[in-house]
Amino acid sequence: MKVSRLAEILNAEIINLSEDREIETGYCGDFLSFAMSRLPSNSAWFTVMSNANVAAVAVLTEAAAIVVCENVRPDENLSARCKTEGLNLLIVAYPAYECAVKLSQALKNE
Amino acid sequence: MSEDCIRLEFDVDSENFASAGMASEAVKTKLKQLGINMQDVRRVAIAMYEGEINMVIHAKGGKATVDIFPHRVDMILADKGPGIADIDLAMKEGYSTAPDNIRALGFGAGMGLPNMKKNTDAMKIDSVQGIGTTIYMTVNLH
Ligand SMILES: Nc1ncnc2c1ncn2[C@@H]1O[C@H](COP(=O)(O)OP(=O)(O)O)[C@@H](O)[C@H]1O
Ligand SMILES: [Mg+2]
């Protein structure tokens, strides 16, 4: 599923969409060391972390999109770094669990 | 240093938290350009990122030297920080001395050193309290 399609499903605000990448799976978590070692490439990463270090982990793990949950506003630094590094960044109102359920359903229906 | 080695060197500075991870990103980009398989790239990226972040949050920055050979990558992360008092304790999953303001940024899970160990084929820590820490890591390439 494309990032733009996930944005529709989750009613997301798109902060950055550089390349409409294919999402294969998802990952929920906030501690960066866990995400760094577990986040599968081409995932949508659901988190409430909103600082620029999230971008570094997303680049290193090749996340398809960072999805900041529960209407947390990303730091200016995060938005800026996503734009310069070509990372897709969305903001959604749903908590991570609900995002993951919706992604899973949509992936199954593809 | 032999001829078929590519050396990358980085000053890891701790002033700007928002740009932490840049050295790891540069190493990953280089390895991908060289056509290294993604699993090995990922292992190097994890080890390098955790080491880089530790220098930023625990040691006020340091130097990273990465040597890429045809069949392995050597990483040396050297800082002049406070040193690690008890290395065995520091290696335990979940052990962290990171303060609350650092944990609020998503660091301080206490998984950095264990992740470095897990993702490398060799790892050695030299640390002297009050002098600094140097970590040597090697990842074999397949
Ligand atoms: N370069 C370093 N200089 C000084 N102390 C360090 C360094 N790297 C790690 N440590 C110590 O080892 C502990 C465990 O490190 P780590 O497993 O990466 O967990 P975390 O960074 O999440 O605290 C740190 O909390 C810190 O006390
Ligand atoms: Mg650490």
Short mmCIF file of all heavy atoms in Angstrom, two decimals, chain A residues 30-41 49 51-53 55-57 59-62 77 81 85, chain B residues 17-22 24-25 28 32 38 42 45-46 49-50 103-109 111-112 115:
data_model
loop_
_atom_site.label_atom_id
_atom_site.label_comp_id
_atom_site.label_asym_id
_atom_site.label_seq_id
_atom_site.Cartn_x
_atom_site.Cartn_y
_atom_site.Cartn_z
N ASP A 30 8.40 3.59 20.73
CA ASP A 30 8.94 4.93 20.96
C ASP A 30 10.41 4.96 21.36
O ASP A 30 11.09 5.94 21.10
CB ASP A 30 8.11 5.63 22.04
CG ASP A 30 6.65 5.70 21.63
OD1 ASP A 30 6.37 6.05 20.47
OD2 ASP A 30 5.77 5.38 22.46
N PHE A 31 10.87 3.91 22.01
CA PHE A 31 12.30 3.90 22.37
C PHE A 31 13.12 3.69 21.09
O PHE A 31 12.89 2.73 20.34
CB PHE A 31 12.62 2.78 23.36
CG PHE A 31 12.72 3.24 24.79
CD1 PHE A 31 12.02 2.56 25.78
CD2 PHE A 31 13.51 4.33 25.15
CE1 PHE A 31 12.11 2.97 27.11
CE2 PHE A 31 13.61 4.74 26.47
CZ PHE A 31 12.91 4.06 27.46
N LEU A 32 14.08 4.56 20.87
CA LEU A 32 14.80 4.55 19.60
C LEU A 32 15.67 3.29 19.43
O LEU A 32 15.81 2.79 18.32
CB LEU A 32 15.65 5.82 19.46
CG LEU A 32 14.82 7.11 19.49
CD1 LEU A 32 15.73 8.34 19.39
CD2 LEU A 32 13.77 7.15 18.38
N SER A 33 16.21 2.78 20.53
CA SER A 33 17.05 1.57 20.40
C SER A 33 16.22 0.36 19.97
O SER A 33 16.71 -0.50 19.24
CB SER A 33 17.74 1.24 21.73
OG SER A 33 18.82 2.11 21.95
N PHE A 34 14.97 0.29 20.43
CA PHE A 34 14.10 -0.81 20.02
C PHE A 34 13.75 -0.66 18.54
O PHE A 34 13.86 -1.62 17.77
CB PHE A 34 12.83 -0.85 20.87
CG PHE A 34 13.05 -1.44 22.23
CD1 PHE A 34 13.50 -0.66 23.28
CD2 PHE A 34 12.83 -2.79 22.45
CE1 PHE A 34 13.72 -1.20 24.53
CE2 PHE A 34 13.05 -3.36 23.71
CZ PHE A 34 13.50 -2.55 24.75
N ALA A 35 13.36 0.54 18.17
CA ALA A 35 12.99 0.77 16.77
C ALA A 35 14.19 0.50 15.86
O ALA A 35 14.06 -0.14 14.82
CB ALA A 35 12.51 2.21 16.58
N MET A 36 15.36 0.97 16.29
CA MET A 36 16.56 0.80 15.47
C MET A 36 16.83 -0.67 15.18
O MET A 36 17.19 -1.04 14.08
CB MET A 36 17.75 1.44 16.20
CG MET A 36 19.02 1.49 15.41
SD MET A 36 18.90 2.49 13.94
CE MET A 36 19.81 1.46 12.79
N SER A 37 16.62 -1.53 16.18
CA SER A 37 16.97 -2.93 15.95
C SER A 37 15.80 -3.76 15.41
O SER A 37 16.02 -4.83 14.86
CB SER A 37 17.53 -3.57 17.22
OG SER A 37 16.55 -3.64 18.21
N ARG A 38 14.57 -3.28 15.56
CA ARG A 38 13.42 -4.13 15.18
C ARG A 38 12.61 -3.64 13.99
O ARG A 38 11.91 -4.42 13.37
CB ARG A 38 12.45 -4.23 16.36
CG ARG A 38 13.06 -4.78 17.61
CD ARG A 38 12.75 -6.27 17.76
NE ARG A 38 13.59 -6.83 18.82
CZ ARG A 38 13.37 -6.65 20.10
NH1 ARG A 38 12.35 -5.93 20.51
NH2 ARG A 38 14.19 -7.17 20.99
N LEU A 39 12.64 -2.35 13.74
CA LEU A 39 11.75 -1.80 12.71
C LEU A 39 12.07 -2.41 11.35
O LEU A 39 13.18 -2.27 10.86
CB LEU A 39 11.93 -0.27 12.69
CG LEU A 39 10.82 0.56 12.07
CD1 LEU A 39 10.74 1.91 12.74
CD2 LEU A 39 10.97 0.74 10.58
N PRO A 40 11.09 -3.11 10.73
CA PRO A 40 11.37 -3.70 9.41
C PRO A 40 11.47 -2.60 8.35
O PRO A 40 10.79 -1.57 8.47
CB PRO A 40 10.13 -4.57 9.14
CG PRO A 40 9.41 -4.69 10.44
CD PRO A 40 9.73 -3.45 11.21
N SER A 41 12.29 -2.81 7.34
CA SER A 41 12.36 -1.83 6.27
C SER A 41 11.00 -1.78 5.56
O SER A 41 10.24 -2.75 5.59
CB SER A 41 13.48 -2.15 5.29
OG SER A 41 13.31 -3.43 4.79
N MET A 49 6.90 9.75 19.56
CA MET A 49 8.14 10.53 19.61
C MET A 49 8.11 11.56 18.48
O MET A 49 7.71 11.24 17.37
CB MET A 49 9.36 9.63 19.40
CG MET A 49 9.83 8.98 20.66
SD MET A 49 10.46 10.21 21.81
CE MET A 49 10.13 9.36 23.33
N ASN A 51 10.79 14.15 18.06
CA ASN A 51 12.03 14.93 17.89
C ASN A 51 12.83 14.42 16.69
O ASN A 51 12.56 13.36 16.14
CB ASN A 51 12.86 14.93 19.18
CG ASN A 51 13.38 13.55 19.52
OD1 ASN A 51 14.33 13.06 18.93
ND2 ASN A 51 12.72 12.89 20.49
N ALA A 52 13.84 15.18 16.33
CA ALA A 52 14.58 14.93 15.09
C ALA A 52 15.30 13.58 15.07
O ALA A 52 15.61 13.06 13.99
CB ALA A 52 15.59 16.05 14.85
N ASN A 53 15.55 13.00 16.23
CA ASN A 53 16.27 11.72 16.25
C ASN A 53 15.45 10.59 15.63
O ASN A 53 16.01 9.59 15.18
CB ASN A 53 16.70 11.39 17.68
CG ASN A 53 17.63 12.46 18.22
OD1 ASN A 53 18.76 12.56 17.80
ND2 ASN A 53 17.13 13.30 19.11
N ALA A 55 14.00 10.83 12.88
CA ALA A 55 14.35 10.84 11.46
C ALA A 55 15.59 9.99 11.20
O ALA A 55 15.63 9.23 10.23
CB ALA A 55 14.57 12.28 10.97
N ALA A 56 16.59 10.11 12.07
CA ALA A 56 17.82 9.33 11.86
C ALA A 56 17.50 7.83 11.87
O ALA A 56 17.96 7.08 11.01
CB ALA A 56 18.84 9.66 12.95
N VAL A 57 16.68 7.41 12.83
CA VAL A 57 16.33 5.99 12.92
C VAL A 57 15.52 5.55 11.68
O VAL A 57 15.74 4.48 11.13
CB VAL A 57 15.57 5.69 14.23
CG1 VAL A 57 15.04 4.27 14.26
CG2 VAL A 57 16.49 5.93 15.43
N VAL A 59 15.69 6.82 8.69
CA VAL A 59 16.61 6.72 7.54
C VAL A 59 17.38 5.40 7.62
O VAL A 59 17.45 4.65 6.65
CB VAL A 59 17.62 7.90 7.51
CG1 VAL A 59 18.73 7.64 6.50
CG2 VAL A 59 16.90 9.20 7.17
N LEU A 60 17.93 5.12 8.81
CA LEU A 60 18.79 3.94 8.96
C LEU A 60 18.02 2.64 8.76
O LEU A 60 18.56 1.65 8.28
CB LEU A 60 19.47 3.97 10.33
CG LEU A 60 20.54 5.07 10.47
CD1 LEU A 60 20.96 5.24 11.93
CD2 LEU A 60 21.76 4.77 9.61
N THR A 61 16.74 2.63 9.15
CA THR A 61 15.95 1.40 9.03
C THR A 61 15.16 1.36 7.72
O THR A 61 14.47 0.39 7.45
CB THR A 61 14.95 1.27 10.20
OG1 THR A 61 14.14 2.45 10.22
CG2 THR A 61 15.67 1.13 11.54
N GLU A 62 15.21 2.44 6.96
CA GLU A 62 14.48 2.53 5.70
C GLU A 62 12.97 2.41 5.89
O GLU A 62 12.28 1.73 5.13
CB GLU A 62 15.01 1.52 4.67
CG GLU A 62 16.53 1.66 4.53
CD GLU A 62 17.09 1.21 3.19
OE1 GLU A 62 16.42 0.45 2.49
OE2 GLU A 62 18.21 1.66 2.86
N ASN A 77 12.47 20.68 14.07
CA ASN A 77 13.68 19.97 13.62
C ASN A 77 13.35 18.66 12.92
O ASN A 77 14.04 18.27 11.98
CB ASN A 77 14.57 19.61 14.82
CG ASN A 77 15.33 20.81 15.32
OD1 ASN A 77 15.63 21.72 14.55
ND2 ASN A 77 15.62 20.83 16.62
N ARG A 81 14.17 17.95 9.07
CA ARG A 81 15.08 16.85 8.69
C ARG A 81 14.38 15.87 7.74
O ARG A 81 15.00 15.33 6.83
CB ARG A 81 15.60 16.15 9.96
CG ARG A 81 16.81 15.28 9.70
CD ARG A 81 17.57 14.98 10.98
NE ARG A 81 18.54 13.92 10.77
CZ ARG A 81 19.34 13.46 11.72
NH1 ARG A 81 19.29 13.96 12.93
NH2 ARG A 81 20.18 12.49 11.45
N GLU A 85 15.86 14.99 4.12
CA GLU A 85 16.28 13.60 3.89
C GLU A 85 15.25 12.79 3.09
O GLU A 85 15.41 11.59 2.92
CB GLU A 85 16.60 12.92 5.23
CG GLU A 85 17.60 13.74 6.03
CD GLU A 85 18.55 12.90 6.86
OE1 GLU A 85 18.91 11.80 6.43
OE2 GLU A 85 18.92 13.38 7.94
N PHE B 17 21.85 17.95 19.13
CA PHE B 17 21.13 16.69 19.25
C PHE B 17 20.35 16.35 17.99
O PHE B 17 20.25 15.20 17.59
CB PHE B 17 20.13 16.80 20.39
CG PHE B 17 20.54 16.03 21.59
CD1 PHE B 17 20.83 16.68 22.77
CD2 PHE B 17 20.65 14.66 21.53
CE1 PHE B 17 21.23 15.97 23.87
CE2 PHE B 17 21.04 13.94 22.63
CZ PHE B 17 21.33 14.59 23.80
N ALA B 18 19.81 17.40 17.38
CA ALA B 18 18.92 17.19 16.24
C ALA B 18 19.65 16.58 15.05
O ALA B 18 19.02 15.98 14.19
CB ALA B 18 18.27 18.51 15.83
N SER B 19 20.97 16.68 15.00
CA SER B 19 21.67 16.11 13.86
C SER B 19 22.41 14.81 14.23
O SER B 19 23.17 14.28 13.44
CB SER B 19 22.64 17.12 13.25
OG SER B 19 23.69 17.38 14.15
N ALA B 20 22.18 14.29 15.43
CA ALA B 20 22.83 13.04 15.83
C ALA B 20 22.42 11.92 14.88
O ALA B 20 21.28 11.85 14.43
CB ALA B 20 22.43 12.68 17.27
N GLY B 21 23.38 11.07 14.55
CA GLY B 21 23.10 9.96 13.63
C GLY B 21 23.63 10.20 12.23
O GLY B 21 23.58 9.32 11.37
N MET B 22 24.16 11.39 11.99
CA MET B 22 24.65 11.75 10.64
C MET B 22 25.82 10.86 10.21
O MET B 22 25.92 10.48 9.04
CB MET B 22 25.09 13.22 10.59
CG MET B 22 23.93 14.20 10.62
SD MET B 22 22.79 13.94 9.23
CE MET B 22 21.82 15.45 9.30
N SER B 24 26.40 7.77 11.13
CA SER B 24 25.84 6.46 10.79
C SER B 24 25.16 6.49 9.42
O SER B 24 25.27 5.55 8.65
CB SER B 24 24.81 6.04 11.85
OG SER B 24 25.38 6.10 13.12
N GLU B 25 24.45 7.57 9.16
CA GLU B 25 23.77 7.69 7.86
C GLU B 25 24.79 7.72 6.72
O GLU B 25 24.58 7.10 5.68
CB GLU B 25 22.89 8.94 7.82
CG GLU B 25 21.64 8.81 8.69
CD GLU B 25 20.73 10.02 8.58
OE1 GLU B 25 20.75 10.72 7.56
OE2 GLU B 25 19.99 10.28 9.55
N LYS B 28 26.13 4.22 6.20
CA LYS B 28 25.13 3.37 5.54
C LYS B 28 25.06 3.69 4.04
O LYS B 28 25.02 2.78 3.21
CB LYS B 28 23.76 3.60 6.18
CG LYS B 28 22.67 2.83 5.49
CD LYS B 28 21.31 3.11 6.09
CE LYS B 28 20.24 2.44 5.26
NZ LYS B 28 19.37 3.38 4.56
N LYS B 32 25.85 1.03 0.99
CA LYS B 32 24.86 0.72 -0.04
C LYS B 32 25.43 0.97 -1.43
O LYS B 32 25.23 0.17 -2.34
CB LYS B 32 23.59 1.55 0.17
CG LYS B 32 22.69 0.96 1.25
CD LYS B 32 21.36 1.68 1.32
CE LYS B 32 20.41 1.26 0.20
NZ LYS B 32 19.08 1.91 0.36
N MET B 38 22.02 -6.03 2.21
CA MET B 38 21.24 -5.18 3.13
C MET B 38 21.30 -5.66 4.58
O MET B 38 21.26 -4.86 5.50
CB MET B 38 19.79 -5.06 2.66
CG MET B 38 19.59 -4.04 1.56
SD MET B 38 20.44 -2.45 1.88
CE MET B 38 19.51 -1.83 3.28
N ARG B 42 22.55 -3.28 7.54
CA ARG B 42 21.70 -3.03 8.70
C ARG B 42 22.47 -3.27 10.01
O ARG B 42 22.35 -2.50 10.96
CB ARG B 42 20.46 -3.95 8.62
CG ARG B 42 19.47 -3.85 9.76
CD ARG B 42 18.63 -2.57 9.65
NE ARG B 42 17.78 -2.40 10.82
CZ ARG B 42 16.46 -2.47 10.81
NH1 ARG B 42 15.81 -2.70 9.70
NH2 ARG B 42 15.76 -2.30 11.92
N ALA B 45 24.78 -0.44 10.54
CA ALA B 45 24.02 0.78 10.88
C ALA B 45 23.58 0.76 12.34
O ALA B 45 23.69 1.77 13.04
CB ALA B 45 22.82 0.92 9.95
N ILE B 46 23.11 -0.37 12.81
CA ILE B 46 22.66 -0.48 14.20
C ILE B 46 23.83 -0.25 15.16
O ILE B 46 23.75 0.58 16.08
CB ILE B 46 22.01 -1.87 14.48
CG1 ILE B 46 20.70 -2.01 13.71
CG2 ILE B 46 21.77 -2.05 15.99
CD1 ILE B 46 20.09 -3.42 13.75
N TYR B 49 25.13 3.39 14.89
CA TYR B 49 24.19 4.38 15.44
C TYR B 49 24.20 4.36 16.96
O TYR B 49 24.29 5.40 17.61
CB TYR B 49 22.77 4.11 14.92
CG TYR B 49 21.74 5.07 15.49
CD1 TYR B 49 21.69 6.39 15.07
CD2 TYR B 49 20.84 4.66 16.47
CE1 TYR B 49 20.77 7.28 15.60
CE2 TYR B 49 19.91 5.55 17.01
CZ TYR B 49 19.87 6.85 16.56
OH TYR B 49 18.97 7.73 17.10
N GLU B 50 24.14 3.17 17.54
CA GLU B 50 24.13 3.08 19.00
C GLU B 50 25.43 3.65 19.59
O GLU B 50 25.41 4.32 20.62
CB GLU B 50 23.93 1.63 19.44
CG GLU B 50 22.55 1.04 19.10
CD GLU B 50 21.41 1.64 19.92
OE1 GLU B 50 21.65 2.53 20.75
OE2 GLU B 50 20.25 1.21 19.71
N ARG B 103 15.84 10.56 28.25
CA ARG B 103 14.84 9.50 28.05
C ARG B 103 13.61 10.06 27.35
O ARG B 103 12.99 9.37 26.53
CB ARG B 103 14.45 8.87 29.39
CG ARG B 103 15.60 8.04 30.00
CD ARG B 103 15.26 7.54 31.39
NE ARG B 103 14.25 6.50 31.39
CZ ARG B 103 14.50 5.21 31.20
NH1 ARG B 103 15.75 4.81 31.00
NH2 ARG B 103 13.55 4.32 31.21
N ALA B 104 13.30 11.31 27.63
CA ALA B 104 12.13 11.93 26.99
C ALA B 104 12.31 12.04 25.48
O ALA B 104 11.34 12.16 24.74
CB ALA B 104 11.88 13.32 27.58
N LEU B 105 13.56 11.96 25.01
CA LEU B 105 13.82 12.02 23.57
C LEU B 105 13.79 10.63 22.93
O LEU B 105 13.98 10.48 21.72
CB LEU B 105 15.18 12.66 23.30
CG LEU B 105 15.35 14.14 23.67
CD1 LEU B 105 16.80 14.58 23.49
CD2 LEU B 105 14.43 15.01 22.83
N GLY B 106 13.59 9.59 23.76
CA GLY B 106 13.51 8.24 23.22
C GLY B 106 14.80 7.45 23.37
O GLY B 106 14.89 6.30 22.96
N PHE B 107 15.81 8.08 23.99
CA PHE B 107 17.06 7.35 24.26
C PHE B 107 16.96 6.72 25.65
O PHE B 107 15.97 6.87 26.34
CB PHE B 107 18.25 8.32 24.24
CG PHE B 107 18.46 9.00 22.93
CD1 PHE B 107 18.32 10.38 22.81
CD2 PHE B 107 18.77 8.28 21.79
CE1 PHE B 107 18.51 11.02 21.60
CE2 PHE B 107 18.96 8.90 20.57
CZ PHE B 107 18.83 10.28 20.48
N GLY B 108 18.03 6.03 26.08
CA GLY B 108 18.08 5.55 27.46
C GLY B 108 17.31 4.28 27.71
O GLY B 108 16.92 4.00 28.84
N ALA B 109 17.08 3.47 26.68
CA ALA B 109 16.41 2.18 26.89
C ALA B 109 17.39 1.16 27.48
O ALA B 109 16.99 0.08 27.90
CB ALA B 109 15.85 1.65 25.57
N MET B 111 19.58 -0.43 25.80
CA MET B 111 19.73 -1.50 24.81
C MET B 111 20.86 -1.22 23.82
O MET B 111 21.10 -2.01 22.91
CB MET B 111 18.42 -1.68 24.03
CG MET B 111 17.24 -2.12 24.87
SD MET B 111 17.54 -3.65 25.74
CE MET B 111 17.56 -4.80 24.37
N GLY B 112 21.54 -0.09 24.00
CA GLY B 112 22.55 0.30 23.02
C GLY B 112 23.73 -0.66 22.97
O GLY B 112 24.03 -1.25 21.91
N ASN B 115 22.77 -4.14 21.87
CA ASN B 115 22.50 -4.17 20.42
C ASN B 115 23.80 -4.13 19.62
O ASN B 115 23.91 -4.76 18.56
CB ASN B 115 21.62 -2.99 20.00
CG ASN B 115 20.14 -3.21 20.31
OD1 ASN B 115 19.74 -4.33 20.64
ND2 ASN B 115 19.34 -2.17 20.22
#
